[in-house]
Amino acid sequence: MASLTSRKSFGLKGRIRVPGDKSISHRALILGGLAVGETMVDGLLEGEDVLCTAAAMRAFGAEVHRDQSGIWRIHGRGVGGLDEPNQVLDLGNSGTGARLLMGAAAGNPITTFFTGDGSLVSRPMARVIEPLERMGVRFVARAGGRLPLACLGPETLLPIDYTLPVASAQVKSAILLAGVAAPGETTVIEPHATRDHTESMLRQFGATVRVEARDDGGRAITLVGEPELTGQRVRVPADPSSAAFPTVAALITEGSQIQLTGVGINPLRFGLYEVLAEMGADIQVDRLGDGGGEPLADLTVRFSKMRGVDVPASIAPRMIDEYPVLAIAAAFADGATVMNGLAELRVKESDRLDATARGLAACGIEVEESADRLVVHGTAGRVPGGGTIAANMDHRIAMAFLVLGLGAGAAVCIDDGATIETSFPDFSGLMRGLGAKITQEGPA
Ligand code: S3P
């Protein structure tokens, strides 16, 4: 295990581009594999999660390779044309990879075996199994719908109308990716709008998708099955979820001013930045127009004195991955930050609600944790720090607490930084380039 330590830092400076968007990268590989012809992807995230999806698409018979200029080229199999993989697909740490590929596999009359690492095999898959079974897919899974599992696609898939019981873009996407192979219309109703990359990219690749906004804030997404998907050029924005870490680092370290270029600012991904602005964060958003269908901006972030706020449950689907790092910002703010509607955090790469609360407590912050709520009592910039944090195979917990250490009185140690490679290759190097004191300690 490679432990990492972060220490109080001042005056972060510089202009960086964080790696490509993880959600869009997975989808580009999968849709490229389901399309006919060549898909070219610029700026693909080359993190372990996405590389697992690339390997899985190869196992399904798609050609996937990176050329010398860094562009990824995919020659797909066409809808319903995936080969049966002759090995178990190991999606590593990636819930997105596993769930989206279960949907993509479902539309082919093949048997596919899925597994993952110690974190992924403990995560719930029943939320995907249940709607796919209604479409005619059969599964053999461990108790509680856990990986490893086998997915047996039928000869003919049935289109369904399905209301999501939890706000989950992964479940929505699995159903839509299966729905491309079903004759007729597949409709997913989501009570709260979640990231819409699958819908937008399906359209870009040639499918007909109708989206109706509902009065209650939800949406109904209808896909017309059996489209001709054709290869596309995909430009992957810098990931707003990765940009969140240098953003909060600059906000909490005195004298900082950094620029983050080409960040995706899709409103369904931008909840954190809205909450930070309400807390008094100085984040300038300079729009760059749309890059390949997604709105982009350069962000300029300056050290800021922040205040605690109430974060309503309704915003959770738009910032679901950002709560650990929001909690770090909250620890440096003046007053309490109350975050509601966090039940889904318990089934991420780790139980993030618990890991965040424990980590903050280990760094001297007063917190209150309940089933789906976290209250962080801010210190107006006087965070003691000094904790040793168990990353629990969770990249976002590791990065969030490294960020905390940059503003805290005493150094913070993360027991295992290797997990950061899943989503943010060279996080420490990029942060050090800004002036952050992050060192590697212990065996590499
Ligand atoms: C993702 C959806 C979210 C998010 C994950 C990426 C996606 O998961 O947490 O990191 O790309 O669709 P849920 O759908 O489980 O909320």
Side-chain angles (χ1 to χ4, degrees):
M1 284 210 285
S3 59
L4 292 171
T5 298
S6 62
R7 293 192 170 73
K8 198 165 180 70
S9 306
F10 297 94
L12 304 188
K13 288 265 171 333
R15 185 180 157 86
I16 58 169
R17 183 181 170 94
V18 301
D21 190 283
K22 182 151 72 71
S23 293
I24 295 174
S25 296
H26 283 294
R27 287 159 173 81
L29 291 167
I30 296 171
L31 284 167
L34 295 177
V36 172
E38 186 179 70
T39 290
M40 289 168 68
V41 190
D42 278 321
L44 187 93
L45 168 64
E46 293 174 353
E48 285 167 3
D49 277 14
V50 174
L51 297 179
C52 286
T53 291
M57 290 316 296
R58 285 191 196 106
F60 283 122
E63 272 176 47
V64 181
H65 73 274
R66 179 188 196 273
D67 72 19
Q68 279 171 342
S69 63
I71 290 180
W72 284 72
R73 293 175 189 270
I74 304 132
H75 289 267
R77 304 291 299 178
V79 171
L82 299 185
D83 289 345
E84 183 170 272
N86 58 14
Q87 65 224 236
V88 177
L89 303 186
D90 185 344
L91 276 308
N93 192 248
S94 180
T96 309
R99 294 187 177 123
L100 269 56
L101 286 167
M102 284 162 65
N108 303 268
I110 58 174
T111 298
T112 313
F113 293 88
F114 291 92
T115 193
D117 70 8
S119 155
L120 188 55
V121 298
S122 70
R123 296 181 64 188
M125 295 294 148
R127 52 183 57 197
V128 179
I129 293 175
E130 203 254 331
L132 293 179
E133 279 181 340
R134 291 197 199 187
M135 298 177 90
V137 185
R138 285 189 299 131
F139 286 91
V140 182
R142 284 198 306 132
R146 314 276 154 169
L147 298 178
L149 63 70
C151 166
L152 289 76
E155 283 299 331
T156 309
L157 205 65
L158 306 170
I160 54 167
D161 283 5
Y162 190 77
T163 301
L164 296 180
V166 281
S168 167
Q170 292 178 0
V171 179
K172 169 177 68 177
S173 301
I175 298 167
L176 294 174
L177 289 169
V180 292
E185 296 190 345
T186 292
T187 298
V188 181
I189 295 169
E190 48 179 9
H192 303 281
T194 64
R195 66 191 71 195
D196 57 359
H197 310 303
T198 304
E199 301 89 298
S200 319
M201 292 175 76
L202 274 166
R203 275 204 190 111
Q204 185 197 349
F205 278 74
T208 300
V209 181
R210 297 193 305 274
V211 179
E212 281 165 40
R214 291 155 40 110
D215 294 343
D216 59 5
R219 305 185 320 158
I221 300 116
T222 300
L223 166 75
V224 179
E226 302 184 302
E228 282 278 319
L229 299 180
T230 49
Q232 297 294 314
R233 176 112 197 201
V234 180
R235 291 190 173 80
V236 183
D239 194 325
S241 298
S242 296
F245 298 101
T247 293
V248 173
L251 291 173
I252 63 170
T253 50
E254 265 172 57
S256 294
Q257 174 170 333
I258 63 165
Q259 264 201 320
L260 301 164
T261 61
V263 179
I265 56 164
N266 181 322
L268 295 171
R269 297 287 299 282
F270 216 58
L272 170 76
Y273 298 87
E274 292 168 27
V275 173
L276 289 173
E278 203 191 322
M279 292 170 77
D282 182 350
I283 304 176
Q284 186 183 318
V285 180
D286 293 312
R287 285 286 305 252
L288 299 171
D290 285 8
E294 289 285 339
L296 302 178
D298 287 342
L299 308 182
T300 304
V301 187
R302 298 180 184 89
F303 168 73
S304 303
K305 296 214 155 124
M306 294 179 282
R307 56 191 169 272
V309 293
D310 280 2
V311 187
S314 57
I315 201 170
R318 301 200 292 117
M319 56 175 291
I320 193 66
D321 290 333
E322 279 64 78
Y323 283 98
V325 78
L326 173 64
I328 304 307
F332 286 86
D334 190 7
T337 294
V338 182
M339 303 169 219
N340 287 300
L342 306 188
E344 274 295 298
L345 292 198
R346 298 212 179 268
V347 291
K348 295 293 178 189
E349 285 82 333
S350 69
D351 177 343
R352 280 191 183 152
L353 186 42
D354 192 55
T356 304
R358 275 171 195 258
L360 287 173
C363 292
I365 303 297
E366 195 191 326
V367 286
E368 297 163 50
E369 175 192 351
S370 65
D372 67 347
R373 185 169 184 265
L374 183 66
V375 182
V376 178
H377 294 276
T379 59
R382 290 181 294 276
V383 171
T388 294
I389 311 295
N392 289 334
M393 306 183 88
D394 189 331
H395 53 131
R396 298 198 203 280
I397 293 298
M399 289 186 279
F401 282 97
L402 286 172
V403 167
L404 181 140
L406 302 176
V412 172
C413 179
I414 310 299
D415 68 345
D416 183 13
T419 179
I420 295 172
E421 291 298 309
T422 60
S423 71
F424 199 149
D426 199 28
F427 169 74
S428 302
L430 214 59
M431 294 299 293
R432 275 197 290 268
L434 295 173
K437 291 183 189 154
I438 299 180
T439 51
Q440 191 163 329
E441 266 147 52

